[in-house]
Amino acid sequence: MTMSNYLESKSEELEQTLAKQIELLKKDSEDWLKFGAVVAVGVVIGYGIVKSTRKKRVKIDTIRAMEVLEKEGLLNEDIRTRLMSSKQSTFWPNLTQRLLILGLALAKDKIYNMIFVPADEDKEIEKSQ
């Protein structure tokens, strides 16, 4: 058996081993993906339940407060609209603001790197071109 035949057989063996490892990885990743999907669905359902029960509790408290104000004669249309309007912030505007700040920081870093490149690097770039 020559060296090239030996290397070819080793190469084939390594390729087969790699193919088996990739196949096992795909199988394991499918299981993890299913598990992750189940966890994500559970979290979303739990969040929805908590959110709906919290809304009901807040709504009941608001209705009680409006009844007290009505008995006292202090309830007018302006106060009614303020009490019944939604005041809760959502997750998405906060996320959007953070992504905007992150984008601006990355742009600032890139611009600083473009402006303040040392002269030695400029010369090396010009020589390579």
Side-chain angles (χ1 to χ4, degrees):
M1 181 181 245
T2 64
M3 186 62 133
S4 63
N5 290 341
Y6 175 75
L7 290 176
E8 287 178 19
S9 66
K10 277 294 188 183
S11 173
E12 278 184 37
E13 184 180 322
L14 288 174
E15 286 177 9
Q16 290 172 356
T17 306
L18 181 62
K20 288 178 184 177
Q21 288 177 347
I22 290 174
E23 186 178 319
L24 287 173
L25 180 66
K26 285 181 181 178
K27 185 178 179 184
D28 289 343
S29 66
E30 287 175 7
D31 294 338
W32 279 108
L33 184 63
K34 290 175 186 175
F35 178 73
V38 168
V39 169
V41 168
V43 166
V44 169
I45 289 172
Y47 178 75
I49 291 170
V50 168
K51 186 115 173 148
S52 66
T53 56
R54 185 177 298 155
K55 281 184 179 180
K56 288 179 184 176
R57 190 181 76 233
V58 169
K59 191 173 183 177
I60 291 170
D61 292 344
T62 304
I63 290 172
R64 287 183 185 159
M66 286 176 48
E67 288 173 356
V68 170
L69 287 173
E70 193 172 357
K71 286 179 186 175
E72 297 292 325
L74 300 173
L75 185 64
N76 60 21
E77 200 58 38
D78 183 41
I79 293 173
R80 181 184 305 269
T81 55
R82 285 185 185 182
L83 288 175
M84 295 306 287
S85 66
S86 175
K87 296 173 188 78
Q88 295 180 349
S89 63
T90 62
F91 175 73
W92 295 112
N94 194 12
L95 180 66
T96 306
Q97 290 170 354
R98 289 180 184 183
L99 287 175
L100 177 66
I101 291 170
L102 177 66
L104 290 174
L106 291 173
K108 179 191 72 149
D109 289 342
K110 191 169 185 176
I111 290 172
Y112 279 163
N113 288 339
M114 288 173 53
I115 293 174
F116 298 113
V117 173
D120 297 336
E121 289 181 14
D122 284 339
K123 292 176 183 175
E124 290 177 13
I125 291 172
E126 288 176 3
K127 287 180 183 177
S128 65
Q129 291 177 357

